[in-house]
Amino acid sequence: MIETTLLALGLVLIVEGLVYALAPSIVERMLEALRDVPQEARRTLGLLALISGLLLVWAAKLLGA
């Protein structure tokens, strides 16, 4: 279990790092655009992302990861 958690965390950090390293100006524009999104909508999107991530991890575990 800990191996899967570390793998997932590492993959997230790689993707996040690539975004900030390759396109920092796009990140700034996205953050500015997020300010215009109501807090409740951001919360809903966050919960949907959380649930999607959990489902993906669950599916990966079922497939033998």
Side-chain angles (χ1 to χ4, degrees), residues 11-22:
L11 290 171
V12 167
L13 290 173
I14 289 170
V15 171
E16 288 284 329
L18 279 173
V19 171
Y20 283 104
L22 298 177

Side-chain angles (χ1 to χ4, degrees), residues 35-57:
R35 288 189 196 117
D36 296 334
V37 176
Q39 185 176 12
E40 195 59 37
R42 286 183 281 172
R43 181 172 285 121
T44 301
L45 286 172
L47 287 172
L48 288 173
L50 174 69
I51 291 167
S52 298
L54 287 172
L55 289 172
L56 286 171
V57 169

Side-chain angles (χ1 to χ4, degrees), residues 19 25-35:
V19 171
S25 61
I26 292 175
V27 173
E28 287 181 26
R29 285 186 286 181
M30 286 176 50
L31 290 173
E32 289 172 7
L34 274 174
R35 288 189 196 117

